[in-house]
Amino acid sequence: MSEFKALVLDQDGDGKVSASYQTLSNDQLPEGDTTVAVEYSSLNYKDGMIINGLGRLVRDYPHVPGVDFVGTVESCDTGAFEVGQKVICTGWRVGEVHWGGFATRARVQAKWLVPLPDALSAEQSMAIGTAGLTAMLALMALEEHGLTPDAEGEVLVTGAAGGVGSVAVALLSALGYRVAAGTGRESTHAYLTDLGATTIVSREELEEAARGPLGKERWSGAIDNVGGPILGNLLAALGYGASCAAVGLAASPKLDATVLPFLLRGVNLLGIDSVNAPKARRVQAWTRLAAELPMGKLDAITHVRGLSEAVDLAGQILKGQIQGRTVIDVNT
Ligand code: NDP
């Protein structure tokens, strides 16, 4: 097949980004040593930004978005993968600098790919997707800094009903952690409890600063998806020596904090970067996800939608209207 279907972004002279569904020919594919027949991609917050032309994440148009994908290797010049092997691609600025997975064919570097674990279906791997991989990388970082399920306080997950948050809540709970889910949407409380949250904390409560620079020691750890005042406040409420994995900036890229939690409570702020995480760490994270994430819970929060719906969904994720994980079946 010499043609493939793609969601293509273009930019007009005023910088306005528009999206259209096009049939492209293989010779339009970018450089790369490995060609993959894409089956599924997943919808992430960054896809929302890219499709809506926000954050100047894309510099060259026309562009094919989709920050992750799973599919079957059609050719691999390096010999790293066999033809027919199932592979996952996340990070490396795919869908941002390089053409991504909102297409039926992608060409990338073999070194960006990891094998699909046997225990996962292609669809499940994208239900996990970049969001789930990031949740696991965050958990691994917290555990490497001493977090264990028998810790005294709950682990706080902010932006809990979003993609990263939902997988983080399900994962932590399955591993025996007590989880407080921070959310701004009252309608998500039952959903978060079903995922395993032991407590629901409102966004307003998390936004409210403690009276002094340090609050009560409340959390044994945290995974923060939102940044801004909530991140500053939660640092001041971590227990002695506890850590927060900083994942995202859905509220703000600003960090409004004092150094006192670091100086007086020895807390750690751990940066999580799924984009450039080394391959060995990704393989380790995918292996753990395949073994430890409760797939029944994941299936229950996953919505599979067609490529033709991606633009609409990209608008919704920016408005915080998406709950759980959205998988894009690029062939429908
Ligand atoms: P989602 O949009 O699915 O979830 C974000 C959640 O944040 C929303 O569901 C909402 O949760 C909460 N939220 C949204 N706006 C606000 C606000 N103004 N104030 C407070 N909370 C808010 O995004 P993802 O889960 O895909 O990604 C979360 C963040 O992590 C994003 O910033 C994303 O860019 C980043 N990210 C970073 C990665 C990395 O490698 N570091 C990888 C993947 C994502 P609720 O409805 O529960 O309130």
Side-chain angles (χ1 to χ4, degrees):
M1 292 232 289
S2 59
E3 291 182 332
F4 66 101
K5 201 173 63 171
L7 173 63
V8 181
L9 304 180
D10 230 321
Q11 194 177 38
D12 68 17
D14 299 327
K16 191 168 176 300
V17 172
S18 61
S20 60
Y21 295 92
Q22 298 183 15
T23 299
L24 304 178
S25 70
N26 283 354
D27 53 23
Q28 290 175 277
L29 281 167
E31 300 265 301
D33 53 39
T34 304
T35 305
V36 179
V38 179
E39 290 170 45
Y40 300 97
S41 184
S42 84
L43 182 78
N44 296 276
Y45 191 84
K46 203 188 248 182
D47 295 310
M49 294 180 71
I50 289 167
I51 291 172
N52 286 283
L54 303 178
R56 289 175 56 79
L57 294 169
V58 177
R59 298 299 168 100
D60 293 319
Y61 293 90
H63 177 72
V64 175
V67 299
D68 51 22
F69 62 82
V70 62
T72 307
V73 172
E74 290 186 324
S75 67
C76 178
D77 298 345
T78 69
F81 296 100
E82 312 250 321
V83 171
Q85 195 171 345
K86 299 264 189 199
V87 287
I88 300 170
C89 185
T90 65
W92 304 114
R93 305 192 73 190
V94 167
E96 186 181 344
V97 171
H98 312 277
W99 283 16
F102 285 1
T104 53
R105 183 168 282 131
R107 187 173 287 153
V108 292
Q109 306 286 343
K111 63 185 179 199
W112 299 341
L113 300 169
V114 299
L116 174 70
D118 288 341
L120 295 179
S121 69
E123 187 184 305
Q124 281 173 330
S125 76
M126 281 300 110
I128 296 171
T130 300
L133 173 69
T134 305
M136 179 53 92
L137 291 171
L139 173 64
M140 283 161 59
L142 292 177
E143 288 178 346
E144 283 157 9
H145 284 78
L147 183 67
T148 54
D150 59 5
E152 214 171 285
E154 290 172 309
V155 179
L156 173 66
V157 177
T158 64
V164 178
S166 297
V167 181
V169 171
L171 185 60
L172 285 161
S173 151
L175 295 178
Y177 290 95
R178 287 180 303 123
V179 188
T183 183
R185 286 183 275 177
E186 221 171 303
S187 59
T188 66
H189 290 193
Y191 164 86
L192 290 166
T193 307
D194 287 350
L195 281 180
T198 35
T199 309
I200 309 290
V201 192
S202 74
R203 188 182 294 176
E204 291 75 31
E205 185 181 338
L206 293 172
E207 281 171 344
E208 208 171 294
R211 287 224 176 81
L214 287 174
K216 184 168 163 272
E217 291 185 40
R218 188 169 180 192
W219 315 119
S220 63
I223 296 179
D224 176 57
N225 293 299
V226 303
I230 288 181
L231 174 54
N233 292 344
L234 80 81
L235 286 171
L238 284 174
Y240 186 85
S243 303
C244 169
V247 167
L249 40 60
S252 165
K254 291 211 171 115
L255 169 57
D256 185 4
T258 75
V259 292
L260 290 174
F262 304 99
L263 303 184
L264 300 179
R265 290 211 180 129
V267 308
N268 306 294
L269 181 57
L270 312 173
I272 305 302
D273 175 20
S274 65
V275 174
N276 299 297
K279 185 159 176 167
R281 194 150 177 90
R282 284 163 201 262
V283 172
Q284 187 191 359
W286 278 108
T287 305
R288 280 196 62 178
L289 283 161
E292 295 169 32
L293 187 63
M295 286 305 156
K297 280 188 181 170
L298 185 71
D299 293 343
I301 63 164
T302 300
H303 312 277
V304 182
R305 311 287 286 269
L307 187 59
S308 58
E309 296 170 272
V311 174
D312 223 29
L313 293 163
Q316 290 176 34
I317 200 165
L318 290 183
K319 291 188 201 134
Q321 292 170 343
I322 300 277
Q323 183 172 302
R325 295 288 295 142
T326 303
V327 171
I328 304 293
D329 178 347
V330 299
N331 288 293
T332 62

